[in-house]
Amino acid sequence: MNRPLLPIQSIAHRLGLADRYLEPIGTYGAKLKLELLTDPDYPQRGKLVLVTATTPTKTGEGKTVVAIGLAQGLDRLGKRALVTSREPSLGPVFGVKGGGVGGGCAQVEPSQKINLHFHGDFHAITCAHNLLAAMLDAQVFHGNDLGLDCAQITWPRTLDMNDRPLRQVTIGLGGKRNGPLRETNFVITAASEIMALVGLADSREDLRHRLAALVVGYTQSGQPVRAADLGATGAMMVLLYEAILPNLVQTTEGTPALIHTGPFANLAHGTSSVLAQAMGLRLADYVINETGFGADLGAEKYVNLVMRSSGLKPAAAVLVTTVQGLQNQGQGVLEQGFSNLAQHIQILRRLGVPLVVAINRFQEDSEPDLARVASYCTAVGLPVSIVEAFAKGGAGAVDLAQKVVAVLEKEDGSVQPLYALEDSLEQKIQTVAQEVYGAAGIMVSERAQMKLQQFTELGFANLPICMAKTPYSISDDPKRLGAPSGWMLRVTDAVLAAGAGFIVVLAGDVLLMPGLPKVSRALSLDVDSMGQITGF
């Protein structure tokens, strides 16, 4: 049975958080002030645990449920723990996967508010992104003093909704008064570079630096034009004034939770903000941090991008798997899906992260199937726990919590990025393709080759790479299941994200603006006669 929600001040006091760092928003939520990070009374003391997964199905394997359940399980052991997670995007909420707050007895609350507009962070990021687009077009319209080449404007617009027709659009229709006619596109807000850089910034000063560095296009001579050149940095800082502050909420059992930023892992770096994690490590002994999709995306990017940028180092990882997920990867045969589990285990070992396997139990799972998965994990030398956090909350994750604590006390991980920043961009792609995805090599399209060469000539070759690919296969093809070998990663395009501090590399047929399915979650949502939201 879920407990009644506690006032947010009670959650803050559980963490020993002084009132001066709390800005309540309503009864059950608050923003945390950044000054907390420079207060010597709050030194960094906690251990960071990544929660990642094997390759998921389209409806997800309950990774967020396990992360929340683990924090609740640690709480039941008398440990000071909190969970850090991403803010949900309205795309999945109204699309296929639904909400992103966990489920059952392992949710972050107030779940409906968090799933919808929450504290306005997504809207602020959307507005800051589109303000920059508007200022760019206004600059071109009013004389183009910067000499922007309209054919080389790269900054899109954004919208936090799955909207297929906006993937490629023409603007400036209706004559000269509406600006020059040109093609552009929309990306979903979770794929906005501003979402990524807000998530990676470690201070307001760092945020300002990253915003100023945003590259929006190029001049006729091929020189980059930045947000700072447009004079847009200050206005974007104003729009993001509160969005940069992490959000404090609670789980169904009153365990503290920090929910902040929402970059997708298949399109961006896929984890909660650096600021939320840094605060968590000052407020708790154990910070459970969910990373998006499988270890091939979320965990790889955490080590190669987030850790490298922030200095935050995971002490251990929990690899979530399910019977249904492994059966899907095995094309209906559970044991054939073990190759996928083995590949994700290998990824985490290659990254140097000590790990525990969590089998997230679904109601329809049989005892023999669960036992077969558990036996496989034991045979390869890993601690494993069957988790029932959805049905039982923290009580269903106490065994996992005990095993995570044991690993943290026993093992000292040697977590290191997979490649050096001095490697060429193609070498970095090759390393991830071969050592993470198990590819034989890479095939780089002519378009992608031109982009990588351009970025190298402009001095961006020392940036890490952020792979954008399907989350439903370790490969770049969602139909290629298990742990395929002998295939070539198809690099189709590349995008410079100078503000975020990485190069986005598109592999296969990945899209930065999803579309709604024929039957979407939007069809089940409503407000009843009592004013209650239904259908989540």
Side-chain angles (χ1 to χ4, degrees):
M1 192 76 164
N2 295 342
R3 303 174 185 176
L5 294 186
L6 298 170
I8 198 62
Q9 290 84 354
S10 298
I11 303 300
H13 293 161
R14 288 193 62 186
L15 293 169
L17 182 66
D19 289 343
R20 65 182 177 275
Y21 296 129
L22 195 73
E23 288 189 358
I25 300 178
T27 306
Y28 305 116
K31 288 282 188 180
L32 299 190
K33 296 180 181 179
L34 301 186
E35 289 77 11
L36 166 66
L37 294 171
T38 55
D39 188 334
D41 291 338
Y42 294 92
Q44 184 170 315
R45 71 170 198 259
K47 292 186 176 181
L48 183 68
V49 179
L50 294 187
V51 178
T52 185
T54 54
T55 303
T57 59
K58 290 191 175 181
T59 53
E61 306 314 297
K63 179 162 45 60
T64 307
V65 167
V66 172
I68 295 167
L70 173 56
Q72 295 179 159
L74 288 164
D75 209 349
R76 285 173 179 255
L77 293 177
K79 311 292 186 183
R80 180 175 284 188
L82 61 78
V83 62
T84 55
S85 190
R86 292 168 292 165
E87 298 180 50
S89 162
L90 294 180
V93 167
F94 291 95
V96 175
K97 290 184 74 174
V101 296
C105 296
Q107 295 190 72
V108 284
E109 298 285 1
S111 58
Q112 292 179 348
K113 287 186 177 181
I114 296 169
N115 268 326
L116 295 172
H117 308 289
F118 199 20
H119 295 159
D121 296 348
F122 264 64
H123 297 307
I125 288 169
T126 300
C127 289
H129 183 118
N130 290 335
L131 172 66
L132 181 56
M135 291 181 72
L136 185 160
D137 282 316
Q139 208 282 335
V140 173
F141 179 79
H142 292 293
N144 195 9
D145 297 336
L146 297 174
L148 269 160
D149 180 358
C150 287
Q152 294 191 78
I153 291 176
T154 57
W155 191 250
R157 281 170 165 79
T158 193
L159 179 72
D160 187 35
M161 191 61 63
N162 294 354
D163 201 348
R164 187 176 286 104
L166 296 181
R167 289 171 182 167
Q168 198 69 32
V169 297
T170 301
I171 61 173
L173 296 171
K176 184 177 180 181
R177 63 183 297 194
N178 292 336
L181 186 72
R182 68 178 182 89
E183 288 190 358
T184 187
N185 64 295
F186 279 72
V187 300
I188 194 165
T189 300
S192 162
E193 187 178 349
I194 294 183
M195 177 67 76
L197 65 83
V198 172
L200 290 170
D202 61 16
S203 64
R204 288 196 191 275
E205 294 73 21
D206 189 31
L207 176 65
R208 180 183 298 277
H209 172 78
R210 291 173 181 272
L211 289 170
L214 287 165
V215 172
V216 299
Y218 301 88
T219 64
Q220 293 282 356
S221 62
Q223 293 304 303
V225 177
R226 295 175 171 83
D229 299 323
L230 293 168
T233 310
M236 288 190 289
M237 286 289 293
V238 169
L239 286 171
L240 299 171
Y241 180 78
E242 289 189 333
I244 193 177
L245 304 179
N247 305 289
L248 178 67
V249 288
Q250 62 190 291
T251 75
T252 44
E253 294 184 359
T255 302
L258 289 171
I259 313 296
H260 194 217
T261 71
F264 287 166
N266 60 326
L267 307 177
H269 63 279
T271 192
S272 63
S273 74
V274 163
L275 288 167
Q277 294 169 51
M279 286 183 176
L281 291 169
R282 285 163 170 78
L283 296 171
D285 298 318
Y286 299 90
V287 175
I288 312 305
N289 182 51
E290 177 260 349
T291 63
F293 295 113
D296 56 323
L297 289 168
E300 179 271 313
K301 291 175 180 178
Y302 193 94
V303 172
N304 285 315
L305 295 175
V306 183
M307 186 183 83
R308 183 174 248 146
S309 169
S310 67
L312 301 176
K313 193 171 185 177
V318 172
L319 179 64
V320 179
T321 194
T322 63
V323 169
Q324 69 170 16
L326 296 177
Q327 285 177 332
N328 179 66
Q329 289 298 308
Q331 300 182 71
V333 180
L334 178 61
E335 285 79 359
Q336 289 185 17
F338 288 172
S339 63
N340 185 267
L341 173 57
Q343 181 76 14
H344 287 280
I345 291 170
Q346 181 178 328
I347 291 167
L348 289 168
R349 284 175 166 168
R350 177 66 182 84
L351 294 170
V353 190
L355 71 144
V356 178
V357 178
I359 306 170
N360 186 31
R361 181 171 195 160
F362 281 70
Q363 188 174 5
E364 60 272 20
D365 292 344
S366 71
E367 293 294 342
D369 283 345
L370 292 166
R372 279 194 280 273
V373 180
S375 295
Y376 175 84
C377 296
T378 302
V380 298
L382 290 175
V384 58
S385 179
I386 296 174
V387 179
E388 298 182 83
F390 184 93
K392 300 178 181 179
V398 166
D399 179 68
L400 174 63
Q402 291 171 331
K403 286 174 177 168
V404 167
V405 171
V407 165
L408 289 170
E409 291 176 347
K410 180 178 67 174
E411 296 193 41
D412 183 18
S414 54
V415 187
Q416 295 293 333
L418 291 179
Y419 52 78
L421 293 179
E422 294 73 27
D423 292 347
S424 71
L425 293 175
E426 287 203 21
Q427 284 175 320
K428 293 168 188 171
I429 300 168
Q430 181 99 8
T431 297
V432 173
Q434 293 181 321
E435 298 193 25
V436 177
Y437 307 153
I442 62 175
M443 294 188 302
V444 185
S445 70
E446 184 177 350
R447 176 183 177 85
Q449 283 181 335
M450 290 175 60
K451 293 280 195 71
L452 295 174
Q453 181 63 33
Q454 178 190 23
F455 303 154
T456 299
E457 291 173 353
L458 290 172
F460 296 108
N462 64 337
L463 293 179
I465 58 166
C466 181
M467 300 296 298
K469 76 170 188 72
T470 178
Y472 303 118
S473 168
I474 287 180
S475 76
D476 59 7
D477 180 355
K479 296 180 181 178
R480 190 179 277 133
L481 302 177
S485 60
W487 58 280
M488 302 290 286
L489 181 80
R490 299 167 295 146
V491 178
T492 55
D493 204 351
V495 178
L496 174 62
F502 51 68
I503 305 291
V504 181
V505 177
L506 281 69
D509 301 320
V510 68
L511 296 167
L512 302 184
M513 170 55 80
L516 287 175
K518 184 175 182 180
V519 180
S520 70
R521 298 275 182 179
L523 298 174
S524 65
L525 294 169
D526 206 344
V527 178
D528 64 20
S529 59
M530 302 298 293
Q532 300 299 310
I533 295 174
T534 62
F536 269 117

